[in-house]
Each structure stands twice: as structure tokens, then as C-alpha cells.
Amino acid sequence: MTIVVVGAGPAGVNAAVTAARAGKDVLLIDSAARIGGQYHRQSFRAKEIRVAHERVRHLPDTTVWAIEDNRLHLTGSRVVTAEKLILATGAYDRTLPFPGWDLPGVYTAGAAQAMAKGQGIALGRNVIVAGTGPFLLPVASSLLDVGAKVRVFEANSPSHRWLREPTALFAGRRKLLELTRYAKVARHYRERTAVIAAHGDDRVREVTVAELDDNWNPLRQKRIAVDAVCVGYGFVPQLELAIAAGCRLSDGFVAVDEQQRTSVPWIFAAGEITGVGGADLAADEGVIAGAAAAGVQLGLTVDRRFADALTRVYAVKDGWKSWLTDDTIICRCERVTRHRLQEATGRGATATRAVKLASRAGLGPCQGRICGATVADLLDLDPTTFARRPIATPIPLGDLAANPVEEQ
Amino acid sequence: MHVVVVGAGVIGAACAEALSAAGATVTVVDRSGPAAGTTGAGEGNVLVSDKEPGPELELAQAARRQLPELLAKLADELGPELSDVEWQPKGGLVVATTDPRPLRDFAERQRTAGVTAHEITPEQAFELEPNLTREITTAVHYPEDGQVQPVLLATTLLSAVRQRGGRLLSGVTATGATKSALVTDSGTIACDHIVNACGPWAGDFASKLGAPLPVLPRRGLILVTTPVADLVRHKVYDADYVGAVASGDADLQTSTVVESTPAGTVLIGSSRQRVGFDETIQVDVLRELARKAIRLFPRLAGVNVMRAYGGFRPYTPDHLPVVGADPRVPGLWHATGHEGAGIGLAVATGRLLAELMTGQEPHVDPKPFRVDRPGLAA
């Protein structure tokens, strides 16, 4: 019997190594070819990370597409039985829609970072990074490193807002020092500003940039020329496996105790699916989860004060809804406009399933990963209802039909 | 006359529409909102092909005749957007891969009951469905079979109700009744009649009103692929479909139904299983569906399955719907027990219920659907 860790980012890798050091056999499953997850994927530091423990077996390019009791169904018609399961599935970029966000040349901040750091390619010569959160800074920094002209628009006003979080500031002082790495971004950086529309026929040529009030309602606006826009409004936790396994959620994340135990006794969770807090916190949670799954008490707890303050300082404010027009695309996969979504609610659809089927939002290949949070916000629905995906990732019907092979 | 319909699935919506058309004042209450339960988990089948001659087939034939007429009427009333339900009268193709005789006999019996059922050669079947497996022994084409998008149908019917002055109360849970009112978690609603259209939860609701009803949930699962162009053109079933629908076994049954939707996805159904209200996914069931679908359409093996969804269908011991007044509780009416055929039976069910309530001549024989029939006795 094995401890299975799903996700090889900072949380999963630390969980795997900790459990292995405690004498357990660990299977570390990740959808990417190399370990590191979203955080290290884009970084040259990925080379430095090794899971150098003989008891950890790394299963790359593998996705868990279903959980059935303690049986995990893997892509490639494989199945594995887990004694203990540690979910470290992480989070992905959140984007907000605005008129023109579906034009070529508009990217997620994560995609821009991957191109710049991973391949040394800037997405344009004249790039705007817009959104909210500290992640905008490394993205901008990477783009500057590869020679792009960069402007950063942070929709919140963290420089003022942090002053109301003295405890969290102290708790996160090490993290804040790290931000000095991005000092070169400072003179290209503006707060209370957002890209509220993108313009162009074949691709983005110009954007409308607006000063925002506290609630993100646009004040003064102007149009400026750009080649590319990178948008990041925080992160959405990847919850489908936790939901399929029956783990209790709390405030949109997997609920865990101090030992990273979920409500399902044999399942642990670590990293961004338990609350977005960055790579260091995720790594610490991974250590605790790995130890707890192996039955070892470390006596460690994580300090979530800084992470909790991050969600307050960089909260998404309702004013973004005023950026939309009737024909703004909400769901890119199915090209569902706001008008179509309103038509669905006009028919009386209120429950998530009915809204999806009446509007087709969230029914395309991404299964609501991109638009789920948006639709939930617009219609006041629980965003985690969009993460119910019993089939967590698309698989060929032929693979589903085949007799699965037991992964040892 | 004020009628409260409990349940905003397609059956409740159809009852509410027919009652409001007959002049009643209608309020529809639902604890979650329209099409949030069984209806939202349905394929949208409007079928005559899968039914043995008998009362359910008569109801299905009536509904099949009424649906296009009703949709045309609602298009005038509501306009094109609100009345669009993705109605596709595209026909069904039932194929046998083993002994052709049971399918032939079945089709013959259906023809005597007025169903259009053309037996065609495998070659003709391949013309209709070029990607169909070559290993078929016979096929029957049912031009009357069609498909709607069930959530759109339910919400269109409810839009008509609201347009005519009726009310839709979402997020309101019915908890009981007095002699002259429905009791809910947000207060009482005075009314002359209550319609129990709670689908698989109808037995539970009926018990609260002192009128137990043997309606139980039967789980069904459907697979949805990523969009593919022109792989499947009709509704295509394996000939074993009929046996599964009529059976009461708790064990898993699957029979293949493969069809494409206007969005380009392919729906693969469907399984039937009595597992109570257990929502957990069972990979064995999905695998069985996948295998049988690939057997009909080998090209599906390379197509990605994108999601699976399950729902609970309301079934009764004798597999017939319950439509009509409950003699035990004055003012209580039922419209439930349609199992996996509710989308296709909805409009005739609504009309029948309205006729019975307003004292008009019923357009189909209501006796087989009575709540006090022997088939419902435990």
C-alpha cells in the first residue's frame, strides 16, 4: 500500500519527500513531464529541484481523472489503490472578462510568465500586465528581462491597504523582502488602474485603461496602443478531485485541520487548494501533510496570517461587472455572451446546472475552469458548484473502455 | 382557480403551462429552481421507438403530436429567443447486432399501434449513419423520434406561465399542506389544488401530505464528448434498449443510446441503476457505456469524453407515470413517475392533468395512470 500524492508543485513535492523520509512508499503523480508545478514550471530553478528519495516514484504526464473510494483512475487506462492520498492539485489563473478579452494577444499572466521565463520569449514588445495580486510583479519582471516594454496596472491599492494589516505584514516580512527582487518594476507600476476593454480586428492593438474607484468602477479612461495584454486576477483552486472524493469545502477551498487532514479520514490536502498563499506556504503545508499521512507528528503548524491578508488586500471587487457590455464573451469555449447568460436567467434558471444548460456557459472543453468563477460572481452562485467534474479531465472513450492496468 | 405546482422540472412546468392555458392561476414552487434536478440531467428524448404498445406509448404519441404545435404557439406568445428549445425531429435508428427477430417483432407490434417504424437494410442504415458499425443484422428507422434540450423546454414552458401572470418561486421548499394552502419554508400559499410534480422526490412529498406514493429514484448516467463534426446524425440505439427500460432489476443495466446535439457534442446514454440517491460516480458504469457506444460507432474510441452527469429518474413498480387526483387527500394531484421518459411525455401529461382538473374530456385514457391502480399497491 502506498501514499499517493497528486500534484508535484511545492506542496506535493514536499509532501512526497516528507512521507518517504518517514519510511513510506510514495507515488507522486503529476500531469506535467517534470516536477515543479505551476510555480517552478516557469522557472529555471526547476532544474534544481529533485525528488531524491528512493521511496518516491514520480509518475509524470499522468492525470487522475476519477476517484472512486480509494481507487484512483489514471490517464492511459491505469488504476492505483491509495492507502493515503495527499491532494496538492494547486490553482490556475483567474481571468476576468472585459470587452475584447477574447482577442488574440490577450493572455493569462501565467501563460505570459511561462513564455518569458520558460522559453525566453516576450509575448509582445509593448505589453500591459493587468489584474491584481503580487503575482503580477514576477510576470512583469520576466517580461522586462526578455526586453519588452512593460506597464503594470494593479486594480487594488495595496500600498495603502497593507497599512491596515500590521500583523500580517510582520508575519510576512520575509515574503515582502522577496518583493524587492522586483524593484525594477516599480517605475512601470500603477495602482487603482485596470484594462477594461481591448480593441483590434485581428488581434489586440489598443486597450482602454481606466482609473478605478475602491470598488473598481471606472473613473477616467484613455486608450493606449499595445501588442499584448497579460491578465491575472488571482487564482482559482483546482478542486474537482477533492469534490469527487467528498472532501468538505469551506469558503471555496478544501477544509483542513492543523495536520492538513480533510474531512475524509484518509485524504490530506496541501497548497493552494486549501487557500491561496504562495509557494512557501504551500511547501510548509506539504511537509505537514506528508508527515501526517505517514503517521508522524511534527509539531509544526503554518502561519496563515499573511496568506489570509493577501486575499483581503487583493480581493476582486464587484465593479468589474460594469466593464461588460451585452456582447462581451463570458464563456470562451462556447462563445456565450453576457446577453445569452441574462437570457438564461430571464428564463428563470437559477441553479448552476440549469444556468449552464440554458446558456451553455461552462459546457465547453474547459468545463467551466475559465468562466466558472465569472458566472458564479455574476449570478451570485457558489463557485465550487462549477468544479463538480466527476471526470476530472477529458479522456479518450477508447481509454475509458479499456480494461485498466494496476499501477504498482 | 389557484393551483400550486410543486416542482419546476419539465413535468411541473408542463402542468403549469397547461393549467395556465386553461385559465387557472398558477404558482410554481421549487426548492432549487427550474430544471435543477432530473430534468437538467436528462438527454431530452422525445421517443416513441422505445415503448411497447400500451398506455405509455399512447401518452408518448399524444405528446409527440402536441409538442410541435405547442412550440409554435409559444413562439407566437414568447418570441423566438424564449421559445427556442432546440427541437430536432431528427428521427431514431434502432439497430440489432445479434438476432434480428426480437427487434422485427417489436417494430411490428408498434406498427399496429400506429407507430411509424420502417425496417431497413444494413446498407440503408449506413446511408443514414455512415459511421455506424458494419456488424448489424437489421435496423428500424423511427422518423417520429426527436430531441429537445430539456432545460430549455422546462424554462420555455415556465416563461409562458409567467407571461400569463403565473408565478415561479425558486428556492422555496414545500413542507406540507393544510386543507386550503401549501405550507412552505417561506410561508403558506393559499390554493385550491396542489400538484405534486416532485419527480423522484414525489414519494417523499406525498408522504408529508399523508398520501404515500411508491415512487423511487433510479440513477442514470450519461457521457458527453467534446464536439465532433458529423459523427452521429440521428438518435441511434442498440436494440436491447427496450428490455432495460421495462425492467425493475436493481442491478446495473446499460443500453446504448448515441446521439449528437446542436452544440456538436455526442451524448452517450444510458445506464439505469437503483442505488437510492447515491451520487458517487462509478467508473465501471462509465466503462460499460463507453464500450457499448464504441461497439455501435467504432470511431468514438478516439473521441474525448469531457463530462459525465447523473440524475435520478422517478420510477414506479409498474413503470407507468402517475397522473391524476389523489382520492385520499382532496385537492392533491400527482404528475410524476415518468422515469427516463419525462421529457417526451411532459406536454401530454400537463394537458391530461389540466383536463382532469378542469373537468374536460381527457385526450388520452387516464385510467392506467390513476394513483389508486393495482400496479401501485405495494
Side-chain angles (χ1 to χ4, degrees):
Chain A
M1 292 290 265
T2 306
I3 293 181
V4 176
V5 180
V6 183
V13 166
N14 281 283
V17 171
T18 306
R21 283 184 185 144
K24 297 287 180 182
D25 290 323
V26 178
L27 188 63
L28 175 61
I29 299 173
D30 194 84
S31 54
R34 296 194 309 173
I35 64 164
Q38 295 295 333
Y39 180 71
H40 291 295
R41 181 183 58 140
Q42 304 113 3
S43 151
F44 297 119
R45 284 170 57 191
K47 289 175 195 155
E48 300 160 20
I49 298 179
R50 305 225 194 292
V51 185
H53 200 290
E54 59 190 7
R55 285 183 174 278
V56 177
R57 193 157 77 85
H58 176 216
L59 211 53
D61 300 313
T62 300
T63 305
V64 180
W65 66 265
I67 291 189
E68 197 179 15
D69 299 325
N70 65 344
R71 301 272 281 170
L72 308 186
H73 296 268
L74 314 180
T75 47
S77 303
R78 292 165 295 168
V79 67
V80 65
T81 305
E83 179 191 5
K84 297 277 168 57
L85 175 64
I86 301 172
L87 293 174
T89 46
Y92 48 88
D93 288 277
R94 177 167 184 192
T95 47
L96 289 178
F98 49 82
W101 73 298
D102 52 320
L103 281 173
V106 181
Y107 303 91
T108 65
Q113 174 78 331
M115 291 289 281
K117 278 209 111 165
Q119 300 176 40
I121 298 167
L123 295 167
R125 279 181 304 172
N126 182 10
V127 185
I128 286 179
V129 179
T132 190
F135 182 58
L136 302 182
L137 302 178
V139 174
S141 173
S142 306
L143 286 163
L144 286 169
D145 289 346
V146 291
K149 180 188 169 204
V150 179
R151 275 167 288 188
V152 182
F153 298 134
E154 161 63 60
N156 281 303
S157 40
S159 56
H160 292 90
R161 186 62 181 74
W162 272 118
L163 300 177
R164 283 154 55 190
E165 304 280 356
T167 321
L169 273 183
F170 183 73
R173 60 196 180 281
R174 208 160 49 96
K175 293 288 292 179
L176 290 173
L177 275 174
E178 266 178 45
L179 292 182
T180 57
R181 271 196 279 166
Y182 309 119
K184 65 186 169 209
V185 177
R187 63 195 184 87
H188 311 284
Y189 172 90
R190 270 182 67 181
E191 297 188 343
R192 295 168 69 106
T193 310
V195 169
I196 62 164
H199 315 279
D201 293 329
D202 52 337
R203 56 169 293 118
V204 60
R205 303 281 178 194
E206 285 188 336
V207 293
T208 300
V209 172
E211 277 179 37
L212 304 178
D213 69 10
D214 283 343
N215 199 36
W216 294 12
N217 293 303
L219 303 171
R220 272 181 306 176
Q221 306 178 12
K222 65 174 177 185
R223 276 167 81 126
I224 55 179
V226 292
D227 300 317
V229 184
C230 311
V231 186
Y233 284 91
F235 298 91
V236 180
Q238 202 135 289
L239 295 174
E240 48 275 84
L241 291 180
I243 289 173
C247 300
R248 197 172 64 78
L249 305 181
S250 166
D251 287 336
F253 294 93
V254 180
V256 288
D257 67 9
E258 322 78 65
Q259 300 293 306
Q260 306 296 132
R261 272 188 292 252
T262 70
S263 62
V264 179
W266 61 285
I267 303 180
F268 300 75
E272 311 291 63
I273 60 167
T274 67
V276 171
D280 292 341
L281 180 64
D284 291 347
E285 290 174 357
V287 169
I288 293 170
V296 177
Q297 295 289 332
L298 287 182
L300 293 177
T301 52
V302 291
D303 184 349
R304 288 208 57 89
R305 285 176 297 177
F306 184 70
D308 290 344
L310 282 174
T311 63
R312 292 190 290 272
V313 173
Y314 299 101
V316 171
K317 307 285 174 52
D318 276 347
W320 69 267
K321 297 170 192 171
S322 69
W323 310 348
L324 309 181
T325 61
D326 267 352
D327 57 0
T328 302
I329 298 286
I330 301 296
C331 164
R332 286 162 90 146
C333 298
E334 294 283 328
R335 314 249 351 130
V336 178
T337 60
R338 186 183 69 169
H339 172 76
R340 181 105 185 259
L341 196 62
Q342 284 170 339
E343 199 189 302
T345 55
R347 282 171 168 265
T350 49
T352 298
R353 181 182 263 181
V355 166
K356 284 165 70 176
L357 285 162
S359 70
R360 297 208 60 77
L363 291 182
C366 94
Q367 289 290 291
R369 284 178 177 82
I370 297 170
C371 69
T374 297
V375 176
D377 259 14
L378 285 171
L379 304 183
D380 198 20
L381 296 165
D382 174 358
T384 64
T385 57
F386 286 83
R388 284 190 174 281
R389 299 182 191 100
I391 295 183
T393 194
I395 53 165
L397 267 171
D399 283 8
L400 173 56
N403 276 324
V405 176
E406 194 81 26
E407 184 73 49
Q408 292 306 316
Chain B
M1 181 169 71
H2 183 199
V3 185
V4 179
V5 177
V6 183
V10 75
I11 297 295
C15 291
E17 190 283 328
L19 287 163
S20 69
T25 304
V26 181
T27 302
V28 182
V29 304
D30 193 287
R31 60 181 176 191
S32 312
T38 302
T39 298
E43 290 160 281
N45 286 332
V46 180
L47 305 186
V48 294
S49 60
D50 64 334
K51 292 169 184 73
E52 288 271 5
E56 194 191 4
L57 178 61
E58 280 172 37
L59 195 63
Q61 287 171 304
R64 176 61 183 82
R65 284 191 295 271
Q66 288 158 35
L67 185 62
E69 296 163 16
L70 180 60
L71 290 175
K73 184 181 140 203
L74 294 180
D76 289 341
E77 220 176 309
L78 300 169
E81 270 187 1
L82 266 181
S83 64
D84 178 21
V85 301
E86 296 183 3
W87 165 235
Q88 292 183 293
K90 61 184 174 182
L93 190 66
V94 181
V95 301
T97 51
T98 53
D99 183 1
R101 280 170 301 184
L103 175 59
R104 272 181 199 148
D105 295 347
F106 183 62
E108 179 55 39
R109 290 201 300 280
Q110 288 178 310
R111 273 192 290 272
T112 61
V115 172
T116 310
H118 303 299
E119 186 171 348
I120 58 174
T121 62
E123 289 67 34
Q124 289 170 311
F126 305 144
E127 266 173 48
L128 292 173
E129 289 291 344
N131 295 302
L132 189 64
T133 175
R134 293 310 182 230
E135 289 168 16
I136 65 171
T137 52
T138 192
V140 179
H141 182 224
Y142 292 88
E144 293 163 292
D145 279 1
Q147 186 180 341
V148 294
Q149 213 274 28
V151 174
L152 295 181
L153 178 58
T155 52
T156 289
L157 293 167
L158 290 166
S159 297
V161 173
R162 290 189 293 158
Q163 181 107 330
R164 298 167 191 157
R167 286 190 305 165
L168 167 65
L169 304 177
S170 293
V172 172
T173 305
T175 55
T178 67
K179 276 194 166 46
S180 59
L182 179 79
V183 182
T184 76
D185 59 353
S186 346
T188 59
I189 305 168
C191 59
D192 305 301
H193 301 282
I194 294 169
V195 179
N196 173 16
C198 297
W201 299 275
D204 188 40
F205 178 64
S207 293
K208 286 179 183 158
L209 273 59
L213 197 63
V215 177
L216 289 168
R218 212 177 186 193
R219 177 107 198 260
L221 276 174
I222 294 167
L223 295 173
V224 187
T225 71
T226 48
V228 276
D230 203 34
L231 202 148
V232 185
R233 296 176 180 176
H234 301 76
K235 300 172 82 77
V236 181
Y237 331 97
D238 201 316
D240 60 5
Y241 185 74
V242 176
V245 176
S247 167
D249 292 349
D251 293 343
L252 167 68
Q253 294 165 346
T254 59
S255 50
T256 319
V257 185
V258 182
E259 63 190 305
S260 55
T261 68
T265 56
V266 175
L267 303 184
I268 298 167
S270 63
S271 59
R272 296 177 172 72
Q273 206 175 7
R274 275 161 40 186
V275 289
F277 284 109
D278 184 354
E279 281 194 343
T280 50
I281 205 92
Q282 287 176 292
V283 172
D284 284 351
V285 178
L286 304 183
R287 179 168 300 123
E288 191 66 16
L289 288 173
R291 282 183 182 161
K292 289 192 168 183
I294 291 170
R295 206 165 66 201
L296 280 188
F297 287 94
R299 269 189 58 198
L300 280 172
V303 176
N304 275 345
V305 55
M306 183 167 69
R307 71 175 173 275
Y309 61 95
F312 299 101
R313 287 96 185 245
Y315 84 95
T316 59
D318 59 3
H319 297 279
L320 284 177
V322 185
V323 185
D326 194 317
R328 297 166 294 179
V329 179
L332 174 63
W333 300 71
H334 301 291
T336 184
H338 297 77
E339 197 157 348
I343 311 296
L345 299 175
V347 296
T349 298
R351 186 166 152 195
L352 176 61
L353 185 99
E355 287 161 347
L356 294 171
M357 199 181 282
T358 56
Q360 293 173 58
E361 183 68 26
H363 75 294
V364 290
D365 181 7
K367 274 201 288 302
F369 309 118
R370 288 167 64 105
V371 66
D372 54 356
R373 66 185 188 244
L376 289 190

